[in-house]
Amino acid sequence: MASPRAVQLSLRKPTHAVCVVGVETLVNVYSDVPKGAKTFGVSGSSEVKIYMVYDPSRVAEPAGWAHWPLDANVDMVVVADTVSQDLHDFKVKVSYFESQEAAALAHSVLYLTAVDVSLDVDTGRTGKVKKSSGDKKTWRWGPGGSGAILLVNCDRDIHGSREDLHANHLRSLEDLQDMSPMVLSCGGPDELFESHKLVLKASLSDSRRLKVFCARGGTSLSNYKQVLGPRHSSYEVERHSGERTIQFYVEGLAFPDASFSGLLSLSVSLVDTRPLSEVSVFTDSVTFRVAPWIMTPNTQPPLELYVCSVTDIHGRNDKFLEDMSHLATKANCKLVVCPRAENRNDRWIQDELEFGYIDAPHKSFPVVFDSPRNRGLRDFALKRILGPDFGYVTREIELAGASGLDSFGNLDVSPPVRVGNIDYPLGRILIGGSFPKPSGRRMARVVRDFLQAQQVQAPVELYSDWLSVGHVDEFLSFVPTSDQKGFRLLLASPSACLQLFQEKKEEGYGEAEQFDGLKHKTKRSINDILADKHLRRDSAHVQKCIDWNREVLKRELGLSESDIVDIPQLFFLKGAYAEAFFPDMVNMVVLGKYLGIPKPFGPLINGRCCLEEKVRSLLEPLGLRCVFIDDFLFYHQLLGEIHCGTNVRRKPFTFRWWNSVP
């Protein structure tokens, strides 16, 4: 609310003023005082509450019919508690006296017209607009916080068009559900609005990031007129005779980013048009925060599993699709196959997009984040996923093209964690980069800035530039568990693999061969692998890189060693960068308790793969089910695995993001 404004009184003629119901109006009792007056008294209509503001150390409240002193800085405030039926129908009289017993020297009369002007939104975050006289301008985080929430209208309710936010008119009534309601109260005598107007405004910068539609009821789209937006930062409200409230709908046009905090403000002003220079009588303001884009970790239940149908020199990947279908059935998850005509033989669907969602008290829907890699799948999200209640967002890299680290295999998110005294109830985003190296590949700033600006999943940058592809999903994954912790972090571990092979050698299985069962790969015995100095040297280097990340993850996610499971995995160096020696088992797809793990083709001990048996022994006691799937020809040989070639849309968090405190 605006601070009280002062009304000047006159002894010569009555004063007329407009006030807003429930809002204090300061009356200047010193503006025209008769000579000799030492005190004053006040009376008024029953609809007007009159208050005196004074310093109790300087003046005592008069008793009975006593008057207030004029020399003690006593201020008078009036508040109307109901709307006027006619112009000037409320009265306040100020009488001036020389002494307590003497008759009044003179009187000042104030006639008030009280109007109801208020701009209201869902500040209580209940999904409903309630009228409020509190602070609507300040947006507060946390369970006791307040402030309205705005969704970016990034879905597409009408087929064959871009996101709804690009339209300059309402395209369907369903689209109103994606917007935040806002109500303007405008009760008062119709005659008043012949000399006063209501003006709805946004700052120039805010008007580029929102649109406001005025609703006049009915089922016709023509009843909903865009009144504010990128080309219109001010709107003179069309108030109809007798109208007491006007309904508006507000949509967001932009997600928080480096140059945008996510806060947007709107105001309405009651303006007196009679003076040569128009005068604002009262202004009410509201502030929205644009809902952030939120990622979902592997611990959230799966809803849809996406995979691509492709063909290469080995034929069609039908067997892999069949295996994915069986896995999805076990997990009670829908399988979505992207056909070759839509993926243009690009199988790396994890690299192309990341599923998340946006959430407001009145509406939530999934939003796909399209990466800037722009290969064969570049149109898939926009053309096939974007739709009713399924939004789309992307970030493009200006001038320079995308690097491998801009693919979303290099983007992950942890489960909810507590780090010291700080809670991250929606987890923390993980991306890979070149740190601690002084230079190297990093995820593009435009993507990093976007992720950081969402605030609710504070990103952690890991070291992934030691890998040829350079993605975090090549050395880590999270899996859900049924114990109190709720999850485990899986890390690829060359040391664990070499230790396992050493144990098998000592048990007499040194001649058992890696890649047993593969036709297109030279087999290597456990003895040969353990004797390979180059492979051991490469493994030591990779372990050092992973251990650096291990310490960062423990520190930034508040993890202990018991929260981490080391998955046996070997790497070799090709030039300065590492590649998986056999299918990379941490690069798995997680569907609830079912894990689709790349089949490692490890040495067979008593007819069973010792690598698979080791992983089962580590994970199945946690309530997980390991399903090993052959991805060697279609994925591993192309420097990717199952996680790279799949994508999962998951159930959103039940925790509401505005209850967090970033």
Side-chain angles (χ1 to χ4, degrees), residues 88 164 193 208 270 272 392 396 423 445 498 546 596 619:
H88 320 312
D164 291 336
F193 292 98
R208 298 190 184 107
L270 178 65
D272 188 346
Y392 173 90
E396 295 294 339
D423 285 315
R445 175 171 291 279
L498 291 173
I546 294 174
L619 300 182

Side-chain angles (χ1 to χ4, degrees), residues 25 27 40-53 68 75-80 91-94 112:
T25 298
V27 179
F40 70 95
V42 182
S43 62
S45 304
S46 61
E47 297 89 350
V48 180
K49 300 295 186 290
I50 303 172
Y51 304 96
M52 297 301 169
V53 182
W68 293 90
D75 290 327
M76 186 174 84
V77 172
V78 298
V79 180
K91 179 181 178 181
V92 175
K93 185 171 75 171
V94 179
L112 291 170

Side-chain angles (χ1 to χ4, degrees), residues 314-378:
H314 304 293
R316 294 158 54 99
N317 67 336
D318 291 345
K319 179 61 169 66
F320 183 78
L321 298 180
E322 183 181 333
D323 291 338
M324 289 296 106
S325 178
H326 290 322
L327 186 67
T329 300
K330 288 177 181 286
N332 194 27
C333 174
K334 178 183 177 182
L335 179 69
V336 180
V337 177
C338 174
R340 184 180 177 186
E342 294 176 4
N343 65 50
R344 291 179 286 187
N345 230 34
D346 180 2
R347 68 201 70 197
W348 310 117
I349 195 166
Q350 177 61 51
D351 288 342
E352 183 60 38
L353 50 91
E354 184 68 45
F355 289 108
Y357 69 97
I358 57 177
D359 185 23
H362 65 283
K363 181 73 179 283
S364 301
F365 57 80
V367 176
V368 61
F369 186 11
D370 195 359
S371 83
R373 75 188 275 268
N374 291 341
R375 297 187 190 174
L377 279 160
R378 65 182 180 183

Side-chain angles (χ1 to χ4, degrees), residues 567-635:
I567 302 298
Q569 185 65 48
L570 291 180
F571 295 83
F572 67 95
L573 291 182
K574 192 170 184 178
Y577 297 100
E579 298 176 5
F581 179 66
F582 54 79
D584 187 353
M585 290 187 285
V586 297
N587 195 284
M588 63 180 70
V589 63
V590 179
L591 301 179
K593 67 180 181 179
Y594 294 96
L595 311 180
I597 305 174
K599 185 175 180 62
F601 293 97
L604 298 179
I605 310 296
N606 297 324
R608 301 176 74 90
C609 171
C610 67
L611 289 170
E612 291 185 18
E613 290 301 291
K614 180 63 176 178
V615 171
R616 289 185 196 278
S617 72
L618 293 169
L619 300 182
E620 295 199 343
L622 298 173
L624 300 166
R625 296 293 178 264
C626 300
V627 180
F628 291 92
I629 296 170
D630 180 3
D631 74 344
F632 196 90
L633 293 179
F634 285 94
Y635 297 89

Side-chain angles (χ1 to χ4, degrees), residues 156-267:
R156 180 178 63 193
D157 290 317
I158 300 296
H159 182 71
S161 57
R162 286 292 304 272
E163 307 96 294
D164 291 336
L165 61 87
H166 292 290
N168 56 14
H169 61 277
L170 191 69
R171 295 194 293 203
S172 72
L173 294 180
E174 289 75 15
D175 203 21
L176 295 173
Q177 303 302 314
D178 301 336
M179 303 183 192
S180 296
M182 180 172 71
V183 176
L184 170 61
S185 299
C186 54
D190 290 339
E191 295 88 345
L192 177 80
F193 292 98
E194 295 174 4
S195 59
H196 292 70
K197 64 182 179 180
L198 293 165
V199 180
L200 190 65
K201 294 181 68 174
S203 69
L204 193 59
S205 59
D206 284 2
S207 70
R208 298 190 184 107
R209 297 182 173 114
L210 57 73
K211 288 179 186 173
V212 179
F213 293 84
C214 181
R216 291 298 182 182
T219 58
S220 171
L221 294 179
S222 62
N223 294 129
Y224 299 86
K225 173 185 175 184
Q226 183 190 330
V227 295
L228 289 183
R231 296 182 181 88
H232 308 282
S233 61
S234 179
Y235 166 63
E236 183 176 336
V237 178
E238 298 174 7
R239 179 188 180 274
H240 297 168
S241 178
E243 204 162 27
R244 290 186 170 271
T245 60
I246 301 174
Q247 179 80 47
F248 294 89
Y249 291 91
V250 188
E251 69 175 358
L253 305 181
F255 282 95
D257 217 323
S259 59
F260 174 40
S261 69
L263 293 176
L264 295 169
S265 295
L266 291 169
S267 67

